[in-house]
Amino acid sequence: MEKKQMRRILIASLVGSSIEWFDYFLYGTVSALVFNQLFFVNEDPTIGLLLSYASFALAFFIRPFGGVIFSHIGDRIGRKKTLVLTLSLMGVATFGMGLLPTYQAVGIWAPILLITLRLVQGLGIGGEWGGALLLAVEYAPAEKRGLFGAIPQMGVTIGMLLGTVALSIMTMLPENAFMTWGWRIPFIFSALLVFFGLWIRKGIDETPSFKKVKESGEVPKLPIVETLKNYWREVLIAVGAKVVETAPFYIFSTFVVSYATSNLGFSRTATLTAVMIATIITTILIPFMGKLSDTIGRKKLFIAGTIGMALFAFPYFWLLQQKSVPLLIVATVIGLGVIWAPITAVLGTMFSEIFDAKIRYTGITLGYQIGAALAGGTAPLVATALLNRFDNSYVPVAIYIIFASVLSLAAIWAVKDRSNQKLDETHNNRAM
């Protein structure tokens, strides 16, 4: 394949993933700063924040359903068509959020409409990740699969970076202006990004792996049934491995926004700046980590990152407790910027290598989205509840991060490293 076409494929994978996650993280950050006051109105601020985080977590539980729907389409009809559907769905939902009336204007209908659009977001992202990943991985040469698989993973942090930058600019507005209309601008602006994403995906062909499956006549009628029947072990491995990639991530990027501002007295701008710096660093490191996995193996890199995550759980909170902005930045950079990078860089490629091409979209999506539902969206909610239950002590939250790491280590132990195998041969040697 010519370099120009390959570059377009990688850009399409990265851009779509970035837009999806920009929309998604925008909601996560605004839920901590705005939605608890404008949509989930309650006399007790903690209850309002918990309700706001619950709405954030809710979409994670709809993601597996979106994953089942769109991975069915992806394994039956193709990766490309599915990606157009998921991106369009996500864009409409996010744009709609920017136009919603508040609780003061329409009462209970405000949170109902917000949650409805949040669920639509969840359906879209449920199918997007698997398609974006496979677009890159299934086109990749065997010796560069780690690098290619890391590219769409950069979309997670680029999307988050875009959302953080947009909100950082908006928070410079006077408080009243930000709470009235400033927070809406990034949501409405996302429509332009969606149009760009759809344009860049135009003209891309289906992946070689899907073409082979189609030509062989092995396209399954119900990919979900075949996956759960013959690949349930691989799905469980993927769910377990996802835990350490997703729970600490939302602690470092979303929960810290409310924790640092409400409990430790940091300003919103300082906290968002720390997250933004860490996000830039991890975005730069992810492709290097993906490339490194092509040399030393994905399993070794994942294990190293996971052990690092467990060891850093308590030091992270010790640094925050010093109530120093430089140390807040250092803590966030180490956790989110450095330790998390190798874990997320290899995750998608590793998932792809344990599933057969004919159910690969369904397999990786189920593992990823169920893991995200169980440990990702619930992380800020669990962390806030733990703080509330244990008199604002960070110890239970640190233990929670360690528990997530141990769980993923146990899951990944069963995986055989297939970094040097051809992708469509990996299913001959199953994960267990």
Side-chain angles (χ1 to χ4, degrees), residues 32-33 256-269 271:
L33 301 176
V256 73
V257 175
S258 64
Y259 177 67
T261 54
S262 302
N263 294 64
L264 302 177
F266 288 102
S267 69
R268 258 190 250 160
T269 304
T271 309

Side-chain angles (χ1 to χ4, degrees), residues 63 228 329 354 381:
R63 273 167 63 169
L228 294 177
I329 294 170
I354 63 175
L381 184 63

Side-chain angles (χ1 to χ4, degrees), residues 377-399:
T378 56
L381 184 63
V382 169
T384 303
L386 287 172
L387 279 180
N388 201 38
R389 171 70 179 81
F390 293 97
D391 299 322
N392 290 325
S393 170
Y394 65 81
V395 173
V397 185
I399 292 171

Side-chain angles (χ1 to χ4, degrees), residues 7-18:
R7 193 160 49 242
R8 188 180 181 95
I9 287 163
L10 289 177
I11 291 172
S13 176
L14 176 62
V15 168
S17 180
S18 300

Side-chain angles (χ1 to χ4, degrees), residues 350-414:
M350 200 160 57
F351 284 5
S352 302
E353 290 170 341
I354 63 175
F355 289 103
D356 190 350
K358 64 184 177 181
I359 52 84
R360 187 173 291 139
Y361 203 139
T362 302
I364 65 170
T365 299
L366 275 180
Y368 188 93
Q369 301 303 352
I370 293 173
L374 294 176
T378 56
L381 184 63
V382 169
T384 303
L386 287 172
L387 279 180
N388 201 38
R389 171 70 179 81
F390 293 97
D391 299 322
N392 290 325
S393 170
Y394 65 81
V395 173
V397 185
I399 292 171
Y400 173 60
I401 293 173
I402 293 170
F403 174 73
S405 304
V406 171
L407 194 65
S408 291
L409 278 176
I412 208 65
W413 210 256

Side-chain angles (χ1 to χ4, degrees), residues 36-324:
N36 58 321
Q37 297 178 54
L38 298 185
F39 289 87
F40 301 98
V41 179
N42 194 284
E43 289 179 8
D44 185 342
T46 302
I47 298 297
L49 183 61
L50 284 171
L51 288 171
S52 187
Y53 276 149
S55 72
F56 178 71
L58 189 63
F60 281 79
F61 290 97
I62 203 72
R63 273 167 63 169
F65 295 100
V68 169
I69 293 167
F70 290 111
S71 62
H72 174 86
I73 298 170
D75 278 329
R76 291 277 300 159
I77 299 171
R79 296 15 174 168
K80 180 192 167 182
K81 291 176 183 176
T82 310
L83 286 171
V84 171
L85 287 172
T86 55
L87 188 58
S88 302
L89 196 66
M90 191 86 174
V92 169
T94 308
F95 181 76
M97 285 179 184
L99 304 176
L100 283 181
T102 63
Y103 185 90
Q104 287 81 358
V106 294
I108 193 66
W109 280 105
I112 290 173
L113 289 170
L114 180 64
I115 287 170
T116 301
L117 290 176
R118 179 64 175 160
L119 292 176
V120 173
Q121 265 194 342
L123 287 173
I125 196 67
E128 165 69 22
W129 177 81
L133 179 78
L134 293 185
L135 194 63
V137 169
E138 291 186 343
Y139 268 112
E143 70 279 5
K144 292 184 178 179
R145 198 159 60 235
L147 172 61
F148 279 46
I151 299 299
Q153 292 299 88
M154 291 170 66
V156 178
T157 49
I158 289 173
M160 181 182 166
L161 183 61
L162 287 171
T164 306
V165 169
L167 278 175
S168 294
I169 294 170
M170 291 298 111
T171 54
M172 292 178 185
L173 290 168
E175 181 73 12
N176 188 52
F178 174 74
M179 295 300 289
T180 305
W181 57 267
W183 67 269
R184 298 177 182 272
I185 302 299
F187 285 88
I188 295 170
F189 174 73
S190 70
L192 297 176
L193 296 176
V194 170
F195 284 124
F196 176 70
L198 292 172
W199 172 78
I200 201 73
R201 283 178 174 175
K202 188 180 178 182
I204 290 175
D205 203 2
E206 274 301 341
T207 69
S209 293
F210 181 75
K211 283 181 177 179
K212 284 181 185 177
V213 172
K214 204 168 182 181
E215 287 166 6
S216 67
E218 292 184 354
V219 176
K221 289 183 179 179
L222 288 171
I224 182 69
V225 173
E226 181 156 349
T227 303
L228 294 177
K229 182 181 177 182
N230 298 319
Y231 293 86
W232 60 271
R233 291 182 184 86
E234 285 83 349
V235 171
L236 287 178
I237 288 170
V239 170
K242 174 66 178 169
V243 171
V244 75
E245 191 256 3
T246 194
F249 176 82
Y250 285 104
I251 298 292
F252 297 152
S253 65
T254 303
F255 165 74
V256 73
V257 175
S258 64
Y259 177 67
T261 54
S262 302
N263 294 64
L264 302 177
F266 288 102
S267 69
R268 258 190 250 160
T269 304
T271 309
L272 290 174
T273 300
V275 173
M276 186 168 62
I277 292 169
T279 304
I280 292 170
I281 291 171
T282 201
T283 304
I284 294 167
L285 283 179
I286 284 171
F288 288 102
M289 293 296 175
K291 191 174 182 180
L292 183 61
S293 78
D294 286 321
T295 305
I296 68 170
R298 284 172 258 294
K299 185 174 177 178
K300 286 180 184 175
L301 207 55
F302 184 91
I303 289 174
T306 304
I307 291 172
M309 190 66 75
L311 293 175
F312 186 62
F314 276 98
Y316 171 71
F317 284 100
W318 293 338
L319 288 168
L320 294 187
Q321 292 296 315
Q322 305 311 307
K323 299 183 180 180
S324 156

